[in-house]
Amino acid sequence: PAMKALVSSIGTGPWLAGLWWGDSQLGFLAVWLGHAIAAPTWGDSLPVDFYTYSAFTESPGSQCFVHSSDRCRACVRHCNEHPLPDSAFWMPGEAFFGGRSCVPYDDDCGRSGIEDVVAAYGGKTASDLWTQVEARLSAAGGSTEHTVFDVLMGTQKAAMQPETLLP
């Protein structure tokens, strides 16, 4: 009862996008799925606020990859043009890109972003989303050639149509 009286939303951010070089898109999906499953146990509405920013202190710029192409490129560019001072974070030497803290390239920006995934799956169940995530990533055969969101949305260059995997 005390928690329900005090907590009106959950704020989170770029899990899996940090120092250990995880995938920020999978991290977002994990947060969204976990929230969708857990929120009904709260009894009342419990929104989740997902925060992204290009100046992330563990792996600056890598969470830009949750955005669609143009937004992702702008985010990476901003991170490189306005890097955090070295005193703002700690990273081991192997985490830097040629001495720089920001991801120096935008080649890994995909076509689809968080806004596309939310628009496509926002009205569906967590089970529907998980079924698609599992089917699409399995069909991709472990390839890392495309982003998770592009594979999920069918917007990668391969001719995989989203509706072919829907139940």
Side-chain angles (χ1 to χ4, degrees):
M3 286 293 287
K4 284 187 181 182
L6 296 173
V7 177
S8 60
S9 69
I10 297 172
T12 189
W15 292 103
L16 295 176
L19 186 58
W20 308 115
W21 308 111
D23 188 301
S24 55
Q25 293 182 358
L26 282 176
F28 167 75
L29 291 171
V31 167
W32 198 25
L33 285 163
H35 174 264
I37 293 166
T41 67
W42 195 252
D44 295 323
S45 174
L46 185 64
V48 65
D49 299 313
F50 190 83
Y51 297 96
T52 62
Y53 38 93
S54 62
F56 182 50
T57 60
E58 287 184 357
S59 179
S62 68
Q63 70 170 309
C64 294
F65 300 130
V66 298
H67 297 292
S68 59
S69 183
D70 290 342
R71 289 180 181 178
C72 177
R73 293 179 196 292
C75 182
V76 170
R77 187 172 46 255
H78 176 81
C79 183
N80 280 283
E81 291 172 358
H82 307 285
L84 291 172
D86 290 346
S87 61
F89 55 85
W90 174 87
M91 295 192 317
E94 65 270 11
F96 286 90
F97 297 92
R100 297 191 54 132
S101 61
C102 290
V103 175
Y105 49 84
D106 61 11
D107 296 349
D108 288 336
C109 290
R111 294 179 183 174
S112 295
I114 193 171
E115 66 275 17
D116 302 305
V117 174
V118 170
Y121 291 95
K124 299 186 187 289
T125 67
S127 178
D128 291 338
L129 175 57
W130 176 247
T131 298
Q132 288 297 297
V133 168
E134 191 173 41
R136 293 234 164 238
L137 293 182
S138 293
S143 170
T144 57
E145 189 175 328
H146 304 286
T147 71
V148 171
F149 288 170
D150 282 351
V151 171
L152 177 63
M153 300 301 295
T155 54
Q156 74 277 20
K157 293 176 185 170
M160 192 186 315
Q161 299 299 318
E163 55 274 7
T164 60
L165 292 177
L166 288 172

